[in-house]
């Protein structure tokens, strides 16, 4: 829920050697871990709780034994980054495979064409940096306050641009020239149609309820409950209840490429669930398009007096207030919020939250793209999207009622007229 | 025996028949796109609707050319007389077995009500559907063309026009049965020949 006060656990990925407290020097080049990106041996591994360090000597952490890494061998074999080196962190966000991202997990280490048409091992076999082009260690990345692919322009290798967006290579009119689909690209992101579902091979966490954490088995020990077998643990004493899902249909929102975030100590507004991070943008804005998201639902501690999201101390020794050692939310928030410098009233309650994860990866072949009628329907995928007229979804009920009434009246009138003609003819004959 | 006259030339028959098929097709595909029913699927409906619209546009260009070069456009000028008699015929006379008061001829083949209705179609309904339809089709190019409109208004006007076409279709098809025999008018529009009533003495 926060890196603050939980450094040594979180900083095994949130990068830097020895980021163990507030005094960490982000400007020092000596704190940069070269090997986590440039190892080609596959043997470089950070200790999960090692404050960003690998095991220099045999180490046991959270029940796992880490043999010392052979830094000499790794240093002699440095090379280009790979799906494995990027994935070492990005596939495991949130503490385990598939917790955070719905579209980045270990299935992308050796993907099939069906999973990702670009990374297909038997085909194009792209690595992450085929699109996330790097310039002098500046990695074209994503959505914080600034949209990463700010200009929607071509950026083929000859253009010397960053190749981050689909349009960088495919251009703004990627379909057959007379295809109506090209008329969608200013409003609908490519991803919306071309990623019909995420987490198609491995499951991802869709909701995480911290409020039920802290239950113990009959012998008073923390426990884990797994069910069903191919979908990860769904109850853990330390974490609460996590619901995993596979083949999830995304949620669609207007998005201009940037996100808004709730910051530490920021007062919670009236919106429920509380959106901790969500997309910016809206209909009619030239840079906004309809984009797919995974919405991660959360139930997490907050301070009902100051109305701020709790910043818990999760990781630490017994007596430090760390939830995973002391299992006391009040102590956990007191320690975490003190560290963060955010006022804590002493009261703890739980509140529903939402975190948006933009879906960009795992693009299947075009035949698997979402069909027209999935959105052009009364209750289709675009049901929640406001600010745009979608044929097949939208209509004027008044106009439809009036129209069909006129049709019915005219049909009724000619029927009566016709009937009267038949009757009158019969009468003439009868006379 | 009544005299047979060639009422509709070959081009008129071809034009009317093709136009009828296209309009029915446009109606079915259009209301599928509108979401009124599911028949051939949204995507195919869109493609058929667009293709039919282009073909109809081409046909209309030919028809306009034909009407002006032949002078047949005068057939649609609003009538000055016989309006009252024609209305009375459809409201009263038709039930009494009276003959149609309007003598059809090659030079005046449309009765006053037809003249009015077809003129309305040609001047109001067709232009409305073509303008809104092509605006709809090229909605992405509005900024380049300097057009400010919103898709919803265009779509709703197009839908309103479509309803008007259905009402026309219902009444038009019904009125084909009001000839000497129920199929007389249908035969005429297909073969060109119609048994004409003699002008009343």
């Amino acid at each position: 829920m926060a890196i603050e006060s939980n450094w040594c656990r979180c900083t095994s990925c949130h990068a830097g050697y020895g980021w163990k407290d507030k005094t960490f020097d982000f400007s020092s080049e000596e704190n940069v871990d070269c090997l986590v990106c440039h190892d080609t041996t596959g043997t470089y591994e950070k200790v999960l709780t090692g404050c960003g360090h690998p095991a220099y000597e045999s180490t046991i952490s959270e029940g796992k034994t880490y043999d010392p890494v052979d830094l000499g061998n790794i240093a002699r074999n440095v090379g280009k980054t790979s799906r494995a080196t990027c994935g070492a962190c990005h596939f495991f966000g949130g503490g385990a495979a598939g917790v955070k991202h719905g579209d980045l997990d270990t299935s992308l280490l050796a993907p099939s064409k069906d999973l990702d048409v670009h990374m297909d091992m038997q085909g194009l076999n792209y690595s992450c940096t085929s699109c996330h082009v790097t310039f002098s260690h500046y990695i074209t990345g994503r959505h914080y306050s600034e949209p990463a692919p700010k200009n929607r322009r071509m950026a083929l290798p000859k253009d010397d641009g960053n190749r981050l967006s689909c349009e960088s290579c495919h251009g703004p009119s990627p379909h057959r020239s007379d295809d109506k689909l090209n008329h969608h690209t200013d409003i609908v992101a490519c991803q919306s149609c071309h990623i019909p579902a995420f987490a198609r091979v491995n499951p991802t966490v869709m909701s995480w309820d911290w409020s039920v954490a802290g239950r113990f088995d009959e012998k008073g020990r923390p426990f884990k409950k797994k069910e069903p077998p191919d979908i990860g643990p769904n109850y853990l004493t330390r974490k609460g209840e996590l619901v995993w899902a596979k083949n999830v249909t995304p949620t669609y929102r207007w998005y201009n490429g940037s996100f808004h975030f709730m910051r530490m100590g920021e007062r919670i507004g009236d919106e429920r669930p509380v959106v901790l991070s969500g997309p910016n943008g809206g209909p009619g804005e030239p840079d906004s398009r309809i984009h797919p998201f995974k919405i991660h639902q959360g139930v997490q501690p907050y301070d009902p007096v100051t109305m701020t999201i709790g910043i818990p101390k999760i990781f630490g020794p017994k007596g430090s207030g760390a939830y995973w050692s002391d299992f006391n939310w009040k102590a956990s928030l007191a320690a975490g919020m003190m560290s963060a410098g955010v006022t804590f009233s002493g009261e703890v309650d739980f509140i529903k939250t939402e975190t948006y994860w933009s879906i960009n990866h795992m693009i299947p072949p075009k035949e698997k793209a979402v069909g027209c009628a999935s959105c052009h329907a009364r209750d289709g995928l675009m049901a929640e999207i406001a600010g745009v007229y979608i044929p097949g979804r939208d209509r004027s009920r008044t106009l439809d009622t009036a129209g069909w009434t006129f049709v019915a009246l005219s049909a009724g009138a000619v029927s009566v007229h016709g009937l009267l003609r038949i009757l009158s003819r019969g009468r003439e004959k009868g006379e | 025996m009544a005299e047979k006259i060639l009422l509709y030339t070959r081009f008129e028959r071809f034009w009317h028949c093709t136009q009828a098929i296209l309009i029915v097709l446009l109606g079915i595909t259009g209301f599928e796109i509108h979401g009124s029913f599911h028949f051939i699927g949204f995507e195919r409906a869109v493609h058929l609707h667009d293709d039919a619209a282009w073909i109809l546009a081409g046909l209309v260009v030919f028809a306009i050319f034909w009407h002006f070069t032949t002078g047949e456009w005068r057939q649609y000028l609003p009538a000055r007389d016989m309006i009252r008699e024609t209305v009375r015929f459809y409201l009263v006379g038709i039930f009494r077995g009276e003959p149609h008061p309007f003598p059809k001829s090659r030079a005046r083949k449309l009765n006053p009500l037809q003249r009015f209705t077809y003129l309305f179609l040609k001047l109001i309904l067709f232009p409305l559907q073509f303008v809104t339809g092509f605006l709809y089709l090229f909605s992405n190019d509005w900024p380049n063309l300097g057009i400010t409109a919103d898709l919803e208004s265009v779509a709703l006007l197009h839908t309103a026009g479509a309803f008007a076409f259905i009402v026309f279709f219902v009444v038009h098809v019904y009125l084909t049965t009001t000839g000497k025999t129920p199929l007389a008018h249908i035969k005429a529009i297909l073969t060109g020949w119609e048994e004409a009533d003699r002008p009343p003495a």
Side-chain angles (χ1 to χ4, degrees):
Chain A
M1 287 181 276
I3 298 171
E4 184 71 33
S5 82
N6 301 307
W7 298 283
C8 281
R9 169 75 185 220
C10 300
T11 58
S12 62
C13 276
H14 291 274
Y17 277 135
W19 184 7
K20 61 183 183 353
D21 56 30
K22 287 179 211 289
T23 64
F24 184 71
D25 182 2
F26 285 96
S27 63
S28 165
E29 288 194 3
E30 284 171 11
N31 287 341
V32 176
D33 183 347
C34 308
L35 299 178
V36 73
C37 298
H38 291 288
D39 171 39
T40 61
T41 67
T43 60
Y44 187 78
E45 187 181 11
K46 297 203 184 203
V47 178
L48 202 52
T49 56
C51 316
H53 289 288
Y56 303 118
E57 50 197 54
S58 192
T59 309
I60 297 173
S61 170
E62 300 202 338
K64 185 176 171 182
T65 306
Y66 295 85
D67 294 330
V69 292
D70 183 350
L71 289 174
N73 181 45
I74 292 167
R76 283 189 295 275
N77 287 289
V78 291
K80 284 188 174 178
T81 59
S82 63
R83 294 193 288 235
T85 56
C86 300
C89 285
H90 293 281
F91 295 164
F92 297 92
V99 174
K100 281 186 179 174
H101 290 283
D103 61 339
L104 288 175
D105 63 39
T106 50
S107 64
L108 288 175
L109 286 171
S112 65
K113 188 174 184 182
D114 228 33
L115 180 62
D116 193 292
V117 76
H118 299 105
M119 298 177 95
D120 171 21
M121 287 282 280
Q122 312 300 323
L124 293 170
N125 200 19
Y126 282 16
S127 71
C128 307
T129 51
S130 302
C131 300
H132 294 265
V133 179
T134 64
F135 305 92
S136 317
H137 287 106
Y138 174 80
I139 303 162
T140 51
R142 280 252 54 152
H143 0 269
Y144 290 103
S145 49
E146 284 282 300
K150 207 169 184 180
N151 301 311
R152 291 163 58 190
R153 57 184 165 79
M154 295 296 277
L156 298 172
K158 66 179 172 59
D159 301 316
D160 190 29
N162 84 60
R163 234 174 282 150
L164 195 57
S165 70
C166 309
E167 285 153 306
S168 307
C169 297
H170 293 280
S173 300
H175 309 97
R176 238 182 34 203
S177 63
D178 62 337
D179 197 328
K180 188 72 185 168
L181 287 172
N182 284 330
H183 285 186
H184 289 67
T185 58
D186 60 331
I187 289 179
V188 183
C190 310
Q191 293 92 323
S192 290
C193 301
H194 286 281
I195 310 177
F198 58 84
R200 294 202 302 278
V201 175
N202 296 332
T204 187
V205 171
M206 295 304 294
S207 73
W208 186 334
D209 183 354
W210 285 91
S211 71
V212 296
R215 290 179 192 152
F216 298 89
D217 66 12
E218 53 283 359
K219 290 179 182 160
R221 295 172 308 192
F223 69 101
K224 293 179 181 179
K225 198 180 78 179
K226 292 186 184 188
E227 67 174 296
D230 70 322
I231 294 193
N234 65 6
Y235 182 85
L236 300 91
T237 300
R238 298 201 309 181
K239 297 181 178 176
E241 189 180 70
L242 290 86
V243 178
W244 296 77
K246 255 165 102 165
N247 250 324
V248 186
T249 303
T251 306
Y252 301 88
R253 295 284 185 266
W254 287 103
Y255 177 46
N256 66 12
S258 72
F259 265 63
H260 59 266
F261 299 93
M262 173 155 287
R263 294 190 158 70
M264 290 198 293
E266 192 178 325
R267 208 179 153 77
I268 296 167
D270 299 328
E271 192 180 29
R272 294 291 179 276
V274 179
V275 176
L276 298 181
S277 72
N280 293 324
E285 295 177 19
D287 289 328
S288 283
R289 287 178 293 168
I290 299 163
H291 193 95
F293 291 91
K294 163 186 160 177
I295 300 182
H296 185 121
Q297 313 274 350
V299 179
Q300 59 189 84
Y302 81 113
D303 183 333
V305 179
T306 62
M307 289 302 281
T308 52
I309 289 291
I311 304 161
K313 182 169 178 57
I314 299 285
F315 172 76
K318 248 187 187 328
S320 66
Y323 187 78
W324 287 355
S325 301
D326 298 338
F327 295 103
N328 178 327
W329 283 117
K330 284 186 181 174
S332 165
L333 261 59
M337 292 171 91
M338 163 105 72
S339 170
V342 173
T343 311
F344 175 52
S345 72
E347 293 299 311
V348 178
D349 204 347
F350 288 85
I351 194 162
K352 286 186 176 173
T353 60
E354 282 183 350
T355 310
Y356 282 72
W357 293 92
S358 122
I359 299 294
N360 299 286
H361 307 97
M362 297 184 179
I363 298 157
K366 62 184 176 187
E367 294 74 25
K368 298 274 172 74
V370 169
C372 307
S374 300
C375 300
H376 291 279
R378 298 274 183 254
D379 292 308
L381 296 176
M382 294 296 122
E384 290 177 18
I385 293 291
V388 61
Y389 183 88
I390 301 175
R393 181 193 76 166
D394 296 323
R395 58 180 162 164
S396 157
R397 281 178 187 278
T398 317
L399 175 63
D400 274 16
T401 309
W404 292 121
T405 305
F406 275 112
V407 171
L409 286 176
S410 55
V414 299
S415 303
V416 171
H417 196 273
L419 199 67
L420 289 177
R421 273 168 61 209
I422 293 166
L423 290 176
S424 64
R425 192 177 306 160
R427 200 181 309 141
E428 271 168 35
K429 280 181 186 163
E431 276 168 8
Chain B
M1 190 68 196
E3 182 190 344
K4 267 196 162 187
I5 55 170
L6 180 68
L7 213 48
Y8 308 110
T9 61
R10 185 176 294 156
F11 176 78
E12 274 179 297
R13 280 159 15 226
F14 161 74
W15 159 56
H16 180 272
C17 183
T18 315
Q19 179 167 288
I21 291 168
L22 288 170
I23 287 177
V24 169
L25 191 63
L26 283 163
I28 293 170
T29 53
F31 277 95
E32 168 129 32
I33 294 166
H34 187 58
S36 301
F37 49 79
H38 299 289
F39 181 40
I40 57 168
F42 186 90
E43 188 170 3
R44 286 171 67 198
V46 169
H47 288 144
L48 263 176
H49 196 77
D50 292 354
D51 292 346
W54 282 111
I55 298 170
L56 183 61
L59 184 69
V60 164
V61 169
F62 276 107
I64 291 171
F65 177 78
W66 179 84
H67 277 90
F68 280 106
T69 50
T70 57
E72 285 287 306
W73 61 277
R74 290 193 188 84
Q75 297 272 5
Y76 303 97
L77 289 175
R80 301 234 174 106
D81 49 6
M82 300 290 288
I83 301 169
R84 206 181 263 254
E85 290 83 346
T86 311
V87 173
R88 190 193 159 277
F89 168 76
Y90 285 109
L91 291 180
V92 182
I94 194 167
F95 303 117
R96 295 184 178 163
E98 292 172 11
H100 199 289
F102 182 84
K104 268 189 195 177
S105 68
R106 187 73 197 93
R108 292 207 311 168
K109 61 192 176 198
L110 304 175
N111 75 44
L113 295 183
Q114 285 179 301
R115 283 173 172 252
F116 174 78
T117 307
Y118 300 161
L119 191 66
F120 173 79
L121 277 179
K122 283 167 167 40
L123 292 186
I124 310 284
L125 209 48
F126 268 84
L128 173 75
Q129 289 308 75
F130 272 121
V131 169
T132 54
F134 281 104
L135 275 176
Y136 207 147
L137 193 57
F138 291 104
S139 59
N140 270 57
D141 297 318
W142 293 355
N144 302 334
L145 300 169
I147 297 169
T148 22
D150 73 293
L151 188 62
E152 177 160 16
S153 311
V154 169
L156 294 185
L157 279 170
H158 198 65
T159 312
F163 278 120
F165 259 109
I166 306 185
V167 171
F168 166 77
F169 182 81
V170 167
V171 178
H172 187 64
V173 169
Y174 168 70
L175 288 174
T176 62
T177 66
T178 59
K180 283 194 140 185
T181 63
L183 288 177
H185 289 333
I186 297 278
K187 268 184 208 154
I189 196 63
L190 293 177
T191 65
W193 292 93
E194 176 150 321
E195 282 184 23
D197 290 310
R198 282 260 167 228

